[in-house]
Amino acid sequence: MSIDRVVASLKVLNPHEAFSFNKFVASDSGANCYRVLGEGNSDYVVFQVESGAHCIQIFDSWGGQLPPGMWERWSKPYIKEIVDLVKKRCPETPIVLYINGNGCLLECMKDTGVDVIGLDWTVDMVDGRRRLGSGIGMQGNVDPAYLFSPLPALTEEIQRLAI
């Protein structure tokens, strides 16, 4: 499916009707849209690496709002496709996957082929390591609210999380 056809499909949606959007997402057009966007994102990521990026992070900002079964169906295959395409063309570039609210998805995230899982602040680092095992990197997990704290409080939280 061409990007023009995907854009044309998107234009017929009434943005005020969630049902229309859900109907689109669950359709073949929705799957094709995700596929085309995945290919485009992969090309852009490769361009970034060729332009000097040393690491890539994929953000699935809303993925944690989905139940695991829906994430497995509507997000994971397209993330995995991006990872596979980038790894094929840039095999030495580490890829990080971050999903906001990822506590219920850690084990599923590992199967995408990324090198590092970014934990959000709701996942205990020790529990995250236990659930992911030692074969994959972990990062993150400072509550963003600490960014508004005095520097000593932020420093103390970062040191507490260092494992």
Coordinates of all heavy atoms in Angstrom, one line a residue, residues 38 53 100 107 129:
G38 N 5.9 2.0 9.8 CA 7.1 1.3 10.3 C 8.3 1.3 9.3 O 9.4 1.5 9.7
A53 N 24.3 9.0 14.7 CA 23.6 8.5 15.9 C 24.3 7.2 16.3 O 24.6 6.4 15.5 CB 22.1 8.3 15.7
N100 N 5.9 3.9 28.1 CA 5.4 4.5 29.4 C 4.3 3.6 30.0 O 3.4 3.2 29.3 CB 4.8 5.9 29.0 CG 4.5 6.7 30.3 OD1 5.3 6.6 31.3 ND2 3.5 7.5 30.2
E107 N 8.1 -8.6 29.8 CA 8.5 -9.9 29.2 C 8.1 -9.8 27.7 O 8.9 -10.3 26.8 CB 7.7 -11.0 29.8 CG 8.2 -11.3 31.2 CD 7.5 -10.5 32.3 OE1 6.7 -9.6 32.0 OE2 7.8 -10.7 33.5
R129 N 15.0 -6.5 36.6 CA 16.1 -7.4 36.2 C 15.7 -8.9 36.4 O 16.0 -9.7 35.5 CB 17.3 -7.1 37.1 CG 18.5 -8.0 36.9 CD 18.9 -8.2 35.5 NE 19.5 -7.0 34.9 CZ 19.4 -6.7 33.6 NH1 18.9 -7.5 32.7 NH2 19.9 -5.5 33.2

